[in-house]
Amino acid sequence: MPKREEIRNLETIPVGSLGMIPLKSCAEFGKKVDAYLVRWRTERENEHKDSLAFSGYQRESYILGSKTPRFGSGEGKGEILQSVRGSDLYILVDVCNYSMTYSLSGQENHMSPDDHYQDLKRIIAAVGGKARRITVIMPFLYESRQHKRTARESLDCAIALQELVSMGVDNIITFDAHDPRVQNAIPLHGFETIQPAYQFIKGLLKNVPDLKLDSSNMMVISPDEGGMGRAIYIANVLGLDMGMFYKRRDYTRVVNGRNPIIAHEFLGTSVEGKDMIIIDDMISSGESVIEVAAALKARKANRIFVFSTFGLFTNGLARFDQAYEEGLITRVLTTNLIYQSPELLEREWYINCDMSKYVAYIIDTLNHDCSISDLLDPNERIQSIVTRYKNGEM
């Protein structure tokens, strides 16, 4: 039976010559995506391959050279080192890559999300409107946590989206946006927020051999009311029950810019003796997810697995090391859509979910102007891998 990538996109003409510009922030991820695209297009049989419309269809690499150098003052500029005229351009950026530095008046400065976003705009400006279409792939949506106004506040995410489309960006692809309703800021342009549900389930099934995937042995937990949609989806496709916590806050005080959490209150059926999947969009400091795990353990839950699209670990890994040693958590699964420190990748409790093949599918499909609906709904692939796991084929 032919593989999925071999039966996709064989008939339609590409929108333009495919070009990828991964900014330095996601250079390694971009190379992985490029390797898949090169392999598929080399192997793919197509009778029109030699026609003018397919010019440049097979290449040794689809990555176009670019630079974002800095002056000694810290100011920067964007440069594209190859022609992009008529290209279908995909620009990849990881705004969370804090490992990158630049010199500012002789001081070493770590790049913030603002710096990465500014570099993205510089590369778009360097394109100068010559590309046929520009798609920005920004896995962690810049400023997505500032998605609504509750007082006299800036709406940074909406402003950023409007800024990008005003510069000529046609589509924005992100993963697990904190609140997908920010797309209302650009209603006439493409905006996709993609859930990595299949990759999480695949990562768990490949690494944990003795799971019992039924509602009497396993349960999905949302750590707050905002993440209910994710938990409901995972619970439904796996045929499990779900529960949720809500955060009781002290609204009389503000600590570090937010009202402190007094307690996590649980809503749901008994968790005793069951394996738990806690799913959330991001692990920031990790305090909330560890408190939720402790609350589940107090209710006599069995093993606890944490799914999170973005593992920021802003307070380091020591708290998770401790939680693992104490038996609060069994495994933590996050994706490689954002920077992962070498220390994280070495941890015994950590499972890395590689998203490069999925992103390559999306780019390949969109370049042919085909629908990505089947890629956005992974239910069929999830059922297939669960069946294989139950049959002992993993």
Side-chain angles (χ1 to χ4, degrees), residues 179-291:
D179 188 338
R181 288 173 293 185
V182 293
Q183 67 190 285
N184 289 332
I186 49 166
L188 302 180
H189 289 78
F191 181 98
E192 298 291 350
T193 176
I194 301 167
Q195 300 289 336
Y198 169 70
Q199 286 78 9
F200 282 143
I201 292 166
K202 181 180 176 183
L204 184 67
L205 300 186
K206 275 194 164 184
N207 289 279
V208 184
D210 57 343
L211 294 169
K212 293 177 181 172
L213 297 168
D214 58 66
S215 56
S216 56
N217 290 289
M218 206 167 191
M219 200 165 167
V220 181
I221 304 292
S222 174
D224 55 39
E225 61 279 14
M228 283 285 285
R230 294 178 200 91
I232 289 169
Y233 182 81
I234 295 281
N236 284 346
V237 295
L238 293 179
L240 308 177
D241 279 342
M242 70 151 290
M244 71 160 280
F245 284 83
Y246 71 90
K247 296 168 182 169
R248 198 141 52 83
R249 294 180 181 270
D250 181 357
Y251 287 100
T252 63
R253 296 186 298 138
V254 175
V255 179
N256 294 331
R258 60 181 186 176
N259 303 105
I261 298 165
I262 303 167
H264 288 85
E265 305 288 357
F266 181 65
L267 302 173
T269 55
S270 171
V271 303
E272 188 172 347
K274 296 178 186 176
D275 289 337
M276 300 285 117
I277 294 173
I278 302 173
I279 183 161
D280 207 357
D281 61 334
M282 71 178 78
I283 294 171
S284 185
S285 66
E287 285 176 19
S288 283
V289 77
I290 288 171
E291 283 173 19

Side-chain angles (χ1 to χ4, degrees), residues 32 46 80 93 148 151 185 236 248 260 311 320 351 353 369 387:
K32 287 184 179 179
N46 193 310
I80 295 174
V93 60
K148 67 180 188 290
N236 284 346
R248 198 141 52 83
F320 281 86
I351 296 172
C353 299
D369 224 10
T387 302

Side-chain angles (χ1 to χ4, degrees), residues 90-192:
Y90 295 81
I91 306 175
L92 285 72
V93 60
D94 170 14
V95 297
C96 294
N97 192 339
Y98 60 85
S99 72
M100 301 190 63
T101 59
Y102 62 92
S103 177
L104 175 59
S105 297
Q107 306 283 329
E108 187 180 57
N109 226 22
H110 283 265
M111 291 184 73
S112 71
D114 293 344
D115 291 317
H116 289 299
Y117 175 63
Q118 210 61 30
D119 277 353
L120 169 66
K121 290 198 295 181
R122 289 176 178 125
I123 290 296
I124 295 167
V127 171
K130 301 298 188 293
R132 181 160 298 169
R133 187 174 70 176
I134 298 176
T135 301
V136 168
I137 299 178
M138 186 189 287
F140 185 99
L141 186 60
Y142 173 71
E143 289 287 1
S144 57
R145 296 168 84 176
Q146 187 51 31
H147 61 284
K148 67 180 188 290
R149 178 178 279 154
T150 53
R152 287 180 290 279
E153 296 177 336
S154 57
L155 290 171
D156 298 56
C157 190
I159 289 169
L161 292 174
Q162 291 182 351
E163 206 169 15
L164 291 176
V165 300
S166 72
M167 292 182 77
V169 172
D170 297 279
N171 300 301
I172 294 164
I173 294 172
T174 189
F175 285 79
D176 212 348
H178 194 65
D179 188 338
R181 288 173 293 185
V182 293
Q183 67 190 285
N184 289 332
I186 49 166
L188 302 180
H189 289 78
F191 181 98
E192 298 291 350

